[in-house]
Amino acid sequence: MNSMIIGVLVTALLGGLWWGWRRRRRQAWRLPQRAREGLDCAAVLVALVAEVQQHRGMSGAWLAGDQGFAGRLPARQQAVERHFQALLAHGEREQRERYCCFGRDQVTALQRQWQALVQGLAASTPEQNFQAHCRLVSVLLEWLAAVAEARIEQPGVLPGEGNSERNFGHRLPALAECLGQARALGCSVAARRYCPPVARVRLLFLTGRAESLLAQAAGDRGAEVDAARQAVQAFVSALRSRLLAADAAGLSAADCFSLGTAAVDAVFRWLEQERLRLDGALGRREPVLALAASGAL
């Protein structure tokens, strides 16, 4: 009887070990695929964030009285809708994951919020419009950070790429949003030719925060880093010297939007370079992970 019990226990133990080994192999096999899917999903999220940010700046200036932006809004609205359609497919795939970062229903709900924002745009104040856009962008950035952490920043997937991972999933999107908010607020202030105290405090915070994030992200010098640094400094300097120093008459809404867009676009180009670095590192890493999953390593 004792030998039978021991035999059953040994069999159960060996079965558990075998099952755990098989599970680890399956997980190792899925790591590069999930990282690739995460990069693709993140690229759509980044593109959607960029379009919503541009619409925020344009619509804010329009609501504040600059009619020059009216004709540019429909193209941005159509671009946002296209990116939402692409994100729906990622949401459907993502919700099949054991730990889901966001699902198709959540994308649909956020898309409806966007559509309600567009429909009620003419009746909004610049402040209401700004806050509504910021809420949308905040959700998208949360999804981006979650996808980066859950799919790309996993141990053993891309060793040695920690700085690029943090830049791609966290620092640079946050920097772009700081600049995007500063662009939207600055355009509204410039169009009104008056800077309320609340807007002044917010702009001062955003410029300081942008400089801090830029310093954190710029670990490795390169062409895209230098270009982003110059564009960000030019925008921040213009806000401080021509919009916040004495009055709001020294910077037009069009100039503010142009300088802000140059800074934001430079950050997004840097962000794309980080994505390409991660993509290249993943391509070099995939054969190693495949061997590990097959048991050859």
Side-chain angles (χ1 to χ4, degrees):
M1 180 66 72
N2 289 338
S3 61
M4 289 179 59
I5 294 175
I6 292 172
V8 169
L9 291 174
V10 169
T11 301
L13 176 61
L14 291 175
L17 291 173
W18 178 85
W19 182 86
W21 175 75
R22 291 275 297 179
R23 182 170 178 269
R24 286 192 295 272
R25 282 186 59 186
R26 286 197 301 269
Q27 288 176 337
W29 178 82
R30 277 280 291 155
L31 281 175
Q33 180 183 349
R34 293 168 81 242
R36 182 74 63 191
E37 291 169 349
L39 280 173
D40 292 342
C41 178
V44 175
L45 284 165
V46 167
L48 182 52
V49 166
E51 293 292 351
V52 174
Q53 288 174 334
Q54 284 219 28
H55 188 272
R56 177 177 55 195
M58 292 179 179
S59 58
W62 174 64
L63 289 172
D66 192 322
Q67 297 303 310
F69 288 95
R72 302 167 66 179
L73 291 173
R76 295 277 72 76
Q77 292 163 4
Q78 293 166 11
V80 170
E81 284 292 345
R82 287 195 300 271
H83 290 310
F84 262 120
Q85 290 303 314
L87 191 60
L88 283 169
H90 287 287
E92 188 168 341
R93 178 197 53 75
E94 181 65 33
Q95 68 189 14
R96 294 194 293 269
E97 293 282 354
R98 182 178 180 184
Y99 298 107
C100 174
C101 296
F102 64 91
R104 184 182 178 90
D105 290 345
Q106 290 172 285
V107 177
T108 299
L110 197 67
Q111 185 179 22
R112 287 173 180 162
Q113 291 180 35
W114 159 255
Q115 292 167 347
L117 183 156
V118 171
Q119 291 168 4
L121 187 61
S124 297
T125 66
E127 291 77 14
Q128 290 170 337
N129 178 66
F130 177 80
Q131 293 299 330
H133 279 84
C134 288
R135 286 192 292 270
L136 287 172
V137 173
S138 176
V139 173
L140 293 171
L141 291 180
E142 287 176 3
W143 291 351
L144 175 59
V147 168
E149 290 181 3
R151 312 285 172 250
I152 302 168
E153 300 173 19
Q154 289 297 300
V157 178
L158 294 174
E161 299 295 334
N163 192 56
S164 287
E165 288 174 349
R166 298 304 295 176
N167 279 353
F168 180 75
H170 307 277
R171 296 172 186 145
L172 294 181
L175 174 57
E177 175 57 2
C178 269
L179 296 170
Q181 287 191 22
R183 175 179 60 187
L185 274 179
C187 286
S188 179
V189 167
R192 287 173 165 177
R193 296 189 176 276
Y194 168 69
C195 188
V198 172
R200 183 182 299 277
V201 171
R202 184 64 181 170
L203 281 168
L204 288 171
F205 167 78
L206 289 169
T207 53
R209 175 66 173 153
E211 289 174 327
S212 175
L213 286 167
L214 179 63
Q216 292 174 33
D220 298 325
R221 294 185 63 85
E224 70 276 2
V225 179
D226 291 336
R229 180 183 288 108
Q230 293 172 12
V232 171
Q233 289 175 344
F235 180 45
V236 168
S237 176
L239 288 176
R240 286 175 175 162
S241 62
R242 298 170 60 188
L243 199 66
L244 298 174
D247 54 49
L251 188 67
S252 69
D255 286 345
C256 182
F257 187 83
S258 178
L259 286 167
T261 298
V264 173
D265 286 353
V267 173
F268 277 120
R269 284 192 294 271
W270 182 2
L271 189 61
E272 174 62 10
Q273 288 300 311
E274 297 288 20
R275 188 191 70 80
L276 291 174
R277 287 192 185 95
L278 292 173
D279 185 74
L282 182 59
R284 294 188 296 273
R285 184 69 176 156
E286 280 172 329
V288 177
L289 292 172
L291 286 173
S294 68
L297 290 181

